[in-house]
Amino acid sequence: MIFIKGTLTSISLVIAAVTAVVAYPAHQNLKKRQEDDDGEVSNGLTDVVSWDTYTLKVNGERLFLFSGEFHYYRLPSPGLWLDVLEKFKALGYNGVSFYFNWGYHSPKKGVYNFDGVRDVQRAFDAAEKTNLHVISRAGPYINAENDCGGFPSWLMNMQSPARKSNPENNANCEEWLTEIDKFLVPNQITNGGKIILNQLDNEYSANTDPAYLEMIKAKFIADGMIVPDIYNDANMLQNFPDGPADIYGWDNYPAGFDCSNPDAWPNNRSTEYMSYHASTNLNQPAVLWEFQGGAFDPWGGPGYEACYQMVNEKYAKVYYKNNYAQGITIQNLYMTYGGTSWGGLSKPTVYTSYDYGPFLTTEHFVPEVDKSDIILVDGRAATDASAKFYIAQHWLTSSKDLDEFHIIIDTTDGTFTIPRSSKLILNGRDAKLLVTDYDFNSQHLVYSTSEIFTHQDAGSHDVIIVYAYEKEEGEFAIKVKDDTKVKVETNNDSVKSETNDGILQLTYTHPNGTSPIYISGGAEKDLLVLVAGYQSALRWWAPYLNEKEGKRALINGPYLVRSATVSKDDKSTVAFTGDIDETTDIQVVLPDGIKAITWNGEKVHLKKEDKHDIYTGILEFKKPDIKYTDLTEVTWKYKAADRLSTASITPHDTWPILYADDYGYHTGSIWFRGTFNGSSEITGFNLTCHSGLASAWVVYLNSHYLGGFDVGNQAFTNLNGTLIDPEGENVISVLLWTTGHEEDGVSDDNYKQARGFTKAQLLGVSNQTIWSIDWKIQGNLGGEDLADPVRGPYNEGGLYGERNGWHLPGFPDNEWEDITIPENKNRTGVSWYRTTFDVIIPDGYEVPMSLRYVDDTKTRYRSLLFLNGWQLGRYANDLGPQTQFYLPKGILNTAGKNTLAIAVVAIDEAAQLGQVILEPYKTLQSAIPPVDLVASPGYDARQQ
Ligand SMILES: *[C@@H]1O[C@H](CO)[C@@H](O)[C@H](O)[C@H]1NC(C)=O
Ligand SMILES: *[C@@H]1O[C@H](CO)[C@@H](O)[C@H](O)[C@H]1NC(C)=O
Ligand SMILES: *[C@@H]1O[C@H](CO)[C@@H](O)[C@H](O)[C@H]1NC(C)=O
Ligand SMILES: *[C@@H]1O[C@H](CO)[C@@H](O)[C@H](O)[C@H]1NC(C)=O
Ligand SMILES: *[C@@H]1O[C@H](CO)[C@@H](O)[C@H](O)[C@H]1NC(C)=O
């Protein structure tokens, strides 16, 4: 029995589209589009990038854009940007999306820095080298879980609302766009660069002002940005579908951001993208400008392991394939490389098919399926070929059931119910993308119940790699010219073959590994079918030999394959570069004429497997001689920050406003120093702290510790008779440890929330005045006039040690006390620890290093970690969850000496630093491109 579920057909899509035009007539006049006869649209400024209802087109060629998000500013080592983008390329991405962070480049109005770690041209150069298309997203607003959502902190003192069109805000935005456009304009594809799309602001979906978007668009165009501009709605919210941006799309985060129960998936996979697209912007491709590729985790959260479990490879299979089922042809995964403050590089994932070609122009249809009450199968039919695609998933996204099912396929070779003689299984939390009636190389596939990883013309024969979970059955059928001439050879006993009516059908069980099946006599060329189990498929790589011609080498085994090139001198050798983490067995499939390979420059001995045109070899892992200091044994230099309250600046007249940003202090710790004349009346004082999540503050009265607190109100009572001097001057000292500013996600100026105190009042005073306490305030040295422009506006705060360069290389700490940690001593206040350590990693190896705090949570403290002067970690021992901090090569000198400084702010009186450990994440024998050492100015430079 066949039940049909699902109501949408391509006919209903067309009807919905017609209604859409009627529903949104008001915006039509905003359009500035030129549409030619076959539905192709361009923005009137260039037709190098154009589009129609199906896809983007670049130089007239259709593009299925699969890009990943990368934030250069979260990896302050430009030498590593190429490494990251090589990994994007290896994973099958053909694009990268860059956010540009205004605040990262501008510490003060009118001041911009694009040098050193801020040299964005190097990000473009890395995209050029790896041949990845670029989506530029330069704001002005980016959100991105950044301080002020990427606004510079100085914007907090702007009187006018941000993200609205008004003279003051327009002038500020235009100031930024002028600076960043100097980099964007020459890097457009129309000027020989990689940018194909450019975003206007980000998720501008609440409290909107169309004139604001118009202002940004006009500025980009005035500066010379001519590639299509894009708009990302925060979800399917119908904001600005008809401009001013050229291409509308939306963002979606179906798994949400609470990683605390990673296994409990919501049943919210969208089946509405298709109808929404049809009714909203059918003359443009269906786009997900941001689709969830991970989750961020707050202070005290469950940690990134849990987030990885939630947004794991099963999530990827189910949700990404669903997007394809819905006709999405531009998908940007957010995040793909999260950087030092969160996330990590995703694992190689087989859902990343290397062949988007056939998916370019398809229409949805509803295939006939048994079990259609529990299994949803979407069909997509190519408009320009016979190929059809079937995306099968459980109706209930969270289902963990394993179900067998059949599909009726209608092909040019006949109608079949597949599988015909094996089992087709849909695992819980899996989705399958099956292909039928599909021409590839010189073959014609009738159908396959295994998924296709990639296929290649290898010269004398063709190759296709198919996969499914180990032990699942598979069925693979191709057309053959003559039933009697077909020969099938394999060592895999599970393979059965049968030829009838011009169709060769193979059935097999997916092995733990990859097994070759060789078919001769079927088509013009022989066909090598490589049947892979899932784990083995994860380690198949398809690096380009020639990207223009779509020629790839196929190699299985290594941890990472970065590139494959045919040597200019010796055309019979392919040089592979990549990384291995252990001695690795490899299988290689090479085009005709290639007889040998090298791996990272060294010859690999290859053995030919029977007549299967597949070679095997071994990549030997040689253990490197890595040296790094055991930090538990080093001597630290220790200093207490007891002179802190004397080194303050004089505030201006608007007392008693106690908001740090009003005084130009925007980052990290802030000291507040209040003085009042004693009297017999005064019994204490009352403070209310306003700051972000995980902030903390510590209070002293006349140098006596009164406690450490979370944000909120705290009254200090009954201090008369003990701490308050009724006759003389009394001093309240407050250290506030801030954790950054809020964002402006819904355009309501939320980013201007104060960091400081909303109330500071004496208690017991009958004639209360609001000026009863005089205050001084102190943040980072120089405020917006940075003492350290190289490391920039987010590197240092107002701790005495920070202001005095105690975190910098070369600070003379010889007078400091020698200690080892952990100490059996209670340290209150702010403590500083300094040491130097060595790391030696030989060439040809990649050993990403980290610093890990090992501690308990008995007494609360906050800590800053500085490597060679760069603040690479904010640690809260009581909150976590992060205890391990990445020390990126480039900042980390891997050929010698490094300086480590750790500041500890005791929140509870007797807090002390536990152990800190230097430790590698992984040891790879690697072809990582050379990473230059980032300039790390020392203490001497600061003195000038
Ligand atoms: C595949 O084989 C390897 C090595 O023999 C084994 O460790 C692994 O568990 C097997 N995996 C599956 C899915 O059977
Ligand atoms: C301190 O201020 C808070 C917040 O305004 C108030 O609720 C509380 O009663 C005050 N405490 C004392 C002792 O006055
Ligand atoms: C503190 O002041 C309060 C209110 O004036 C008074 O009742 C109390 O006795 C004083 N305590 C001391 C120890 O002086
Ligand atoms: C209260 O303080 C104000 C300002 O300091 C002063 O002018 C006024 O005389 C005081 N009133 C009393 C009752 O002490
Ligand atoms: C540190 O302080 C804690 C809590 O006040 C106390 O129990 C412990 O004995 C102190 N340790 C030292 C070495 O003073």
Side-chain angles (χ1 to χ4, degrees):
M1 244 337 266
I2 302 293
F3 300 96
I4 302 205
K5 190 139 185 172
T7 50
L8 271 181
T9 65
S10 45
I11 293 169
S12 67
L13 287 183
V14 173
I15 295 168
V18 172
T19 14
V21 175
V22 180
Y24 304 103
H27 301 279
Q28 294 301 308
N29 58 352
L30 289 174
K31 284 191 181 175
K32 251 201 258 161
R33 294 186 187 130
Q34 292 170 354
E35 193 164 337
D36 67 18
D37 293 342
D38 54 11
E40 187 170 328
V41 187
S42 68
N43 65 358
L45 296 170
T46 176
D47 51 15
V48 170
V49 183
S50 62
W51 62 92
D52 65 9
T53 182
Y54 298 113
T55 64
L56 214 58
K57 292 184 188 178
V58 175
N59 288 317
E61 273 187 38
R62 289 197 178 278
L63 174 68
F64 185 110
L65 183 58
F66 182 51
S67 67
E69 186 79 18
F70 173 58
H71 300 164
Y72 62 91
Y73 55 86
R74 289 194 155 106
L75 182 56
S77 175
L80 285 171
W81 298 348
L82 179 58
D83 172 49
V84 170
L85 294 194
E86 282 189 351
K87 288 167 181 162
F88 274 46
K89 188 77 174 183
L91 290 172
Y93 289 87
N94 58 9
V96 57
S97 166
F98 292 138
Y99 263 150
F100 296 86
N101 184 326
W102 182 2
Y104 189 66
H105 296 279
S106 180
K108 187 182 182 181
K109 185 167 166 54
V111 178
Y112 287 85
N113 183 340
F114 290 91
D115 296 332
V117 300
R118 293 176 180 74
D119 182 358
V120 297
Q121 186 55 46
R122 292 187 64 177
F124 288 117
D125 293 347
E128 176 82 48
K129 273 216 169 102
T130 45
N131 198 18
L132 291 167
H133 296 292
V134 172
I135 303 173
S136 58
R137 309 205 295 160
Y141 184 74
I142 58 172
N143 215 52
E145 289 64 61
N146 283 126
D147 189 271
C148 293
F151 281 153
S153 307
W154 56 261
L155 205 68
M156 294 178 77
N157 296 329
M158 170 172 73
Q159 293 304 314
S160 314
R163 305 184 83 192
K164 297 279 185 303
S165 176
N166 57 66
E168 189 182 11
N169 185 48
N170 292 0
N172 284 328
C173 290
E174 283 164 1
E175 177 185 302
W176 157 244
L177 293 174
T178 296
E179 297 301 324
I180 192 65
D181 285 350
K182 289 176 193 164
F183 294 91
L184 301 188
V185 170
N187 282 292
Q188 293 177 99
I189 186 169
T190 48
N191 291 329
K194 300 305 295 178
I195 299 176
I196 56 169
L197 296 166
N198 183 45
Q199 185 175 288
L200 308 177
D201 207 69
N202 182 64
E203 290 185 348
Y204 192 52
S205 306
N207 299 311
T208 59
D209 170 8
Y212 170 67
L213 282 185
E214 299 275 10
M215 177 273 296
I216 297 168
K217 183 181 177 98
K219 173 63 180 162
F220 273 131
I221 292 174
D223 286 349
M225 289 303 289
I226 63 172
V227 296
D229 46 40
I230 63 172
Y231 168 84
N232 65 333
D233 215 343
N235 206 328
M236 293 178 280
L237 301 172
Q238 294 282 357
N239 285 298
F240 304 105
D242 297 300
D246 296 323
I247 306 178
Y248 171 87
W250 60 96
D251 298 351
N252 200 258
Y253 290 82
F257 299 97
D258 180 0
C259 305
S260 55
N261 199 355
D263 194 49
W265 279 16
N267 284 308
N268 65 345
R269 173 244 301 116
S270 173
T271 52
E272 275 142 38
Y273 291 163
M274 210 171 1
S275 53
Y276 179 77
H277 172 235
S279 65
T280 307
N281 63 330
L282 191 61
N283 61 344
Q284 303 169 345
V287 188
L288 286 163
W289 292 125
E290 290 179 20
F291 190 75
Q292 182 160 20
F296 55 82
D297 193 41
W299 291 97
Y304 280 106
E305 268 312 302
C307 291
Y308 175 69
Q309 277 171 38
M310 181 172 85
V311 188
N312 59 6
E313 80 287 349
K314 288 181 180 166
Y315 165 94
K317 283 165 149 240
V318 170
Y319 282 89
Y320 301 168
K321 283 177 193 169
N322 179 66
N323 294 343
Y324 302 156
Q326 295 286 310
I328 301 289
T329 63
I330 301 178
Q331 172 169 283
N332 178 48
L333 296 186
Y334 192 101
M335 295 293 300
T336 295
Y337 181 87
T340 55
S341 49
W342 60 27
L345 185 70
S346 62
K347 285 169 73 167
T349 35
V350 287
Y351 59 81
T352 307
S353 158
Y354 286 98
D355 296 284
Y356 307 115
F359 234 97
L360 290 169
T361 58
T362 60
E363 294 285 356
H364 186 258
F365 69 95
V366 180
E368 289 186 47
V369 178
D370 65 354
K371 306 272 180 63
S372 63
D373 50 337
I374 47 173
I375 293 178
L376 163 66
V377 182
D378 287 287
R380 297 208 75 89
T383 59
D384 52 359
S386 59
K388 291 198 176 86
F389 305 88
Y390 297 82
I391 299 99
Q393 39 185 332
H394 280 98
W395 275 100
L396 212 55
T397 320
S398 64
S399 170
K400 289 186 170 175
D401 297 342
L402 188 150
D403 291 294
E404 207 188 320
F405 68 110
H406 293 82
I407 308 175
I408 295 186
I409 59 167
D410 192 14
T411 77
T412 50
D413 303 299
T415 300
F416 311 98
T417 300
I418 61 161
R420 295 196 285 178
S421 46
S422 62
K423 275 187 184 171
L424 176 54
I425 295 292
L426 183 65
N427 255 289
R429 301 191 175 192
D430 192 8
K432 284 187 190 275
L433 196 166
L434 308 183
V435 183
T436 70
D437 214 350
Y438 172 57
D439 289 323
F440 69 96
N441 309 119
S442 63
Q443 315 288 329
H444 179 80
L445 179 77
V446 181
Y447 66 88
S448 168
T449 64
S450 303
E451 294 186 73
I452 297 174
F453 181 73
T454 191
H455 53 75
Q456 273 293 302
D457 173 355
S460 61
H461 66 289
D462 299 321
V463 190
I464 188 166
I465 303 175
V466 298
Y467 69 95
Y469 280 125
E470 292 79 3
K471 298 197 177 110
E472 279 187 21
E473 290 178 10
E475 207 168 291
F476 180 89
I478 53 166
K479 215 168 156 162
V480 293
K481 282 189 293 202
D482 181 345
D483 288 4
T484 61
K485 294 211 172 117
V486 181
K487 214 168 115 196
V488 174
E489 291 165 276
T490 180
N491 301 328
N492 182 334
D493 296 339
S494 80
V495 177
K496 293 195 176 61
S497 67
E498 203 181 314
T499 316
N500 276 316
D501 302 329
I503 295 174
L504 165 68
Q505 178 191 314
L506 304 176
T507 59
Y508 46 80
T509 302
H510 292 87
N512 182 1
T514 295
S515 57
I517 305 172
Y518 201 83
I519 303 167
S520 50
E524 203 177 299
K525 287 185 188 178
D526 294 353
L527 174 64
L528 173 62
V529 183
L530 295 169
V531 179
Y534 178 74
Q535 290 306 324
S536 179
L538 284 176
R539 289 236 172 169
W540 271 104
W541 303 91
Y544 280 113
L545 285 167
N546 183 327
E547 188 161 358
K548 269 207 186 92
E549 293 168 13
K551 260 209 154 121
R552 299 170 182 275
L554 303 175
I555 178 169
N556 181 248
Y559 175 81
L560 173 69
V561 178
R562 295 170 186 265
S563 70
T565 37
V566 179
S567 156
K568 279 205 183 80
D569 316 323
D570 172 9
K571 297 251 185 294
S572 68
T573 300
V574 169
F576 286 99
T577 66
D579 300 13
I580 53 169
D581 54 350
E582 59 186 358
T583 294
T584 303
D585 291 326
I586 56 167
Q587 293 171 293
V588 193
V589 179
L590 299 165
D592 286 351
I594 306 287
K595 298 271 177 292
I597 68 163
T598 60
W599 176 260
N600 294 344
E602 284 183 29
K603 264 220 150 67
V604 182
H605 179 72
L606 289 182
K607 230 176 81 193
K608 193 166 179 196
E609 287 285 292
D610 302 336
K611 45 178 83 150
H612 293 148
D613 283 321
I614 179 165
Y615 294 86
T616 57
I618 295 174
L619 303 179
E620 204 76 48
F621 184 84
K622 298 181 201 91
K623 239 181 125 122
D625 188 15
I626 296 165
K627 294 199 185 80
Y628 56 90
T629 309
D630 181 352
L631 285 185
T632 60
E633 287 177 0
V634 300
T635 302
W636 292 77
K637 290 290 187 175
Y638 171 82
K639 180 89 168 110
D642 48 2
R643 286 175 17 227
L644 253 163
S645 50
T646 62
S648 60
I649 57 160
T650 309
H652 70 68
D653 294 334
T654 59
W655 298 116
I657 293 171
L658 294 177
Y659 303 157
D661 295 286
D662 287 294
Y663 306 100
Y665 300 127
H666 304 300
T667 303
S669 304
I670 312 288
W671 274 102
F672 297 84
R673 185 173 192 266
T675 52
F676 63 91
N677 289 323
S679 83
S680 58
E681 262 191 329
I682 302 169
T683 59
F685 56 95
N686 196 3
L687 295 176
T688 302
C689 173
H690 189 92
S691 191
L693 186 69
S695 294
W697 49 295
V698 190
V699 183
Y700 298 81
L701 176 61
N702 297 329
S703 300
H704 189 92
Y705 171 81
L706 294 184
F709 310 94
D710 295 335
V711 291
N713 174 258
Q714 192 64 43
F716 302 86
T717 55
N718 302 321
L719 300 174
N720 56 330
T722 53
L723 292 179
I724 294 176
D725 176 358
E727 253 81 282
E729 192 184 68
N730 294 272
V731 180
I732 307 168
S733 301
V734 182
L735 175 58
L736 171 60
W737 201 81
T738 71
T739 52
H741 300 102
E742 309 302 328
E743 297 179 307
D744 192 28
V746 296
S747 324
D748 58 358
D749 270 1
N750 190 47
Y751 78 105
K752 290 180 180 171
Q753 275 198 46
R755 298 296 177 247
F757 292 85
T758 56
K759 179 172 189 174
Q761 195 175 44
L762 294 175
L763 296 173
V765 180
S766 53
N767 191 6
Q768 191 66 254
T769 73
I770 54 170
W771 287 280
S772 53
I773 309 171
D774 284 335
W775 289 97
K776 295 180 176 183
I777 182 171
Q778 177 179 275
N780 66 301
L781 184 64
E784 291 174 0
D785 296 307
L786 301 181
D788 184 351
V790 171
R791 296 185 182 84
Y794 303 114
N795 198 59
E796 45 185 75
L799 294 179
Y800 184 83
E802 290 176 287
R803 292 175 55 87
N804 286 281
W806 294 2
H807 56 298
L808 296 173
F811 174 80
D813 57 18
N814 41 318
E815 309 260 288
W816 290 17
E817 198 183 321
D818 282 346
I819 59 151
T820 54
I821 57 171
E823 296 175 283
N824 186 23
K825 223 177 230 172
N826 290 330
R827 306 281 195 186
T828 54
V830 181
S831 301
W832 280 84
Y833 302 81
R834 282 177 56 87
T835 193
T836 58
F837 67 89
D838 290 333
V839 176
I840 307 287
I841 297 170
D843 284 350
Y845 288 87
E846 162 62 347
V847 185
M849 297 292 293
S850 71
L851 189 117
R852 199 155 58 83
Y853 288 77
V854 181
D855 215 341
D856 57 43
T857 58
K858 272 191 292 238
T859 50
R860 295 173 296 163
Y861 69 87
R862 301 289 187 269
S863 172
L864 299 175
L865 134 65
F866 292 92
L867 174 67
N868 297 327
W870 298 82
Q871 199 253 84
L872 295 181
R874 285 193 289 193
Y875 173 65
N877 73 321
D878 55 319
L879 298 176
Q882 187 176 12
T883 57
Q884 193 171 11
F885 296 87
Y886 176 43
L887 310 179
K889 186 174 179 171
I891 298 284
L892 181 72
N893 176 11
T894 54
K897 187 175 146 185
N898 293 277
T899 300
L900 183 62
I902 291 179
V904 173
V905 177
I907 306 301
D908 293 327
E909 187 169 20
Q912 61 162 276
L913 182 62
Q915 270 191 339
V916 292
I917 293 173
L918 199 58
E919 158 180 303
Y921 288 103
K922 204 158 183 62
T923 300
L924 296 164
Q925 200 166 328
S926 168
I928 183 170
V931 176
D932 50 322
L933 209 54
V934 169
S936 295
Y939 180 73
D940 289 349
R942 192 185 186 83
Q943 300 308 294
Q944 285 147 25

